[in-house]
Amino acid sequence: MSTRGGTLHAPAEARAGRPQQAARTRLPLVVHVLALGTFLMGTTEFVVAGLLPEMAGDLRAGVARTGLLITVFALGMIVGAPLTALLTLRLPPRLTLMLALGVFAAGHVAVAVGSGFTLLLAARFLTAIATGAFWAVANVAATRAAGPGARARALGLVGAGAMLANVVGVPLGAFAGRLTGWRGPFWALAVLAAAAVPLIARTVPHQGPAQRRGPVRSELTALRSGRLWLVLAACATTTGGVLAAYSYIAPLLTVRTGLAAGLVPLVLVGFGLGALVGSVTGGRLGDRRPHTVTVTAAAGATLLLLAIVLLAGSAPVTVVLVALLGFFGLGANPVLMALAVRYAGRAPTLASALTVSAFNLGTAAGSGIAGRALGSGLGPTGPAVVGTAVAALTLIPATVLALDRRRGTASGSGELPGAPADRARQG
């Protein structure tokens, strides 16, 4: 699988002589398997939020202190994804994915049996590093398996696994925690991760010596790409803006909108469903018109957040706006990841890892600023105000990239040295 010039090829399909139309209608099995993996990763990232009261009581720590288990996970993702991408540079992707799942399972066992809070923090940090490694390599493996004409669609499906975690995995984990105790969901995640190892071994193609990636210096050369940094900036601002509002949506719904506290989880499910559909839809559209998708999604998210600020007094309107925010706010993520891989040239795994870091950095920064706004004179609408401003910043890198692409097309140079048919579909 060559990655020279930023083009990812699918030699198995080329040798089989499959028509391009068939590749568009059906993604390889390995992409679905990788989506199952990201479902586990997405579930563990936020399952603590649904178990905080039980964990705080058992560990004899306050809820705020126990919440550090979420914060340390985000930090592990930010640092771990690019670090492990470099450390595992010479390992075959299949082996890296299997090792990541093994460490993931071990980290969950440590949390399930641990009693000291420091031990749990260390185990969560280790789990986050494994999660970042899996996510980064899974994104590249999915694009290679799908081929040049279906990169964004493959990443949309892999990303949908994480979105589905918010709709199914996290609520199911919270429910199971109330039945079996908070340690039960961590045991379940450990078992499922261990069971996924042989599945990865059977479905992810082996990468031969001639297909392996180059030296670390070659990977780091990708960091010189200005377009890559614009994509990473868009990753941080789009997620930071949306999750700044989403992290504190409950106070807005109960205090400003007047919604009953028991109905808040249903609104969150609506957001999750919107994000799930948006991820799949964005992936499908992104292969042909990536820049149209990114600019439209950024503008849509900004307008929706502004509408939430202005119309939060109406419960029916706010519920619909939150669901649409999930669709537009997170729908462009697979397209941004595909663009990062494209612009990185010979360093697709490092680029994929950096998008994971950017998403988590945006989430941490956005939610941190939103928390301060909640305690300000803006009250419950403060986080949505912050989210509107941060999401609007996404329009800057997204528009610059779109204009840069148009100038490249007008001059006949295209976006990148890649397949001509692939460039012709860029929108």
Side-chain angles (χ1 to χ4, degrees):
M1 301 177 190
S2 172
T3 60
R4 295 184 181 275
T7 303
L8 300 174
H9 301 285
E13 288 193 3
R15 288 195 301 269
R18 295 179 186 173
Q20 189 177 17
Q21 183 62 33
R24 290 182 185 173
T25 57
R26 184 172 58 188
L27 290 171
L29 175 62
V30 63
V31 179
H32 296 82
V33 171
L34 293 170
L36 290 175
T38 57
F39 173 79
L40 296 179
M41 306 297 160
T43 298
T44 197
E45 186 170 5
F46 296 108
V47 72
V48 173
L51 302 171
L52 272 179
E54 293 85 353
M55 295 182 72
D58 186 46
L59 297 171
R60 296 181 180 180
V63 172
R65 185 165 182 250
T66 307
L68 290 174
L69 294 172
I70 301 175
T71 304
V72 77
F73 194 95
L75 292 175
M77 290 277 282
I78 293 170
V79 176
L83 179 62
T84 53
L86 294 176
L87 292 178
T88 61
L89 191 61
R90 297 190 178 278
L91 294 180
R94 181 170 66 183
L95 179 58
T96 302
L97 291 169
M98 293 169 64
L99 288 173
L101 283 170
V103 174
F104 181 92
H108 281 77
V109 171
V111 172
V113 301
S115 56
F117 191 72
T118 302
L119 173 63
L120 265 62
L121 284 174
R124 285 288 288 175
F125 188 79
L126 181 66
T127 304
I129 290 177
T131 298
F134 183 94
W135 220 308
V137 178
N139 286 338
V140 178
T143 56
R144 284 175 172 158
R151 292 190 193 101
R153 189 154 65 96
L155 289 174
L157 183 59
V158 172
M163 304 301 176
L164 187 62
N166 289 319
V167 180
V168 177
V170 173
L172 190 61
F175 179 71
R178 287 176 175 80
L179 292 180
T180 65
W182 67 265
R183 298 178 190 272
F186 288 95
W187 278 115
L189 285 167
V191 171
L192 291 172
V197 172
L199 195 58
I200 290 291
R202 291 188 60 182
T203 56
V204 177
H206 176 68
Q207 194 177 39
Q211 297 168 324
R212 294 180 187 174
R213 289 157 283 182
V216 172
R217 183 181 298 177
S218 176
E219 291 272 319
L220 294 177
T221 301
L223 300 181
R224 299 176 183 176
S225 170
R227 288 179 290 184
L228 173 61
W229 285 104
L230 287 171
V231 173
L232 294 176
C235 289
T237 53
T238 186
T239 308
V242 172
L243 294 187
Y246 179 74
S247 298
Y248 297 95
I249 198 69
L252 184 141
L253 292 173
T254 55
V255 178
R256 181 76 173 85
T257 306
L259 205 65
L263 297 177
V264 172
L266 295 178
V267 180
L268 301 184
V269 169
F271 176 89
L273 288 173
L276 174 62
V277 176
S279 180
V280 175
T281 304
R284 286 184 176 276
L285 298 176
D287 285 310
R288 293 189 175 186
R289 298 187 176 277
H291 299 295
T292 300
V293 171
T294 54
V295 173
T296 301
T302 302
L303 292 174
L304 286 166
L305 284 164
L306 180 60
I308 288 174
V309 173
L310 299 176
L311 304 175
S314 171
V317 173
T318 303
V319 169
V320 173
L321 290 174
V322 170
L324 289 174
L325 180 63
F327 180 87
F328 282 93
L330 302 180
N333 285 5
V335 185
L336 291 171
M337 287 187 288
L339 287 173
V341 169
R342 181 186 298 275
Y343 291 144
R346 298 182 182 182
T349 304
L350 179 59
S352 176
L354 288 172
T355 62
V356 173
S357 295
F359 286 134
N360 282 275
L361 180 61
T363 300
S367 59
I369 299 172
R372 292 180 176 273
L374 182 65
S376 71
L378 294 172
T381 59
V385 172
V386 171
T388 303
V390 176
L393 293 176
T394 310
L395 288 168
I396 299 174
T399 303
V400 170
L401 286 168
L403 293 176
D404 180 66
R405 185 263 163 191
R406 289 185 181 278
R407 284 195 298 268
T409 302
S411 64
S413 62
E415 276 191 346
L416 284 168
D422 193 39
R423 289 201 306 269
R425 288 193 298 270
Q426 305 292 318

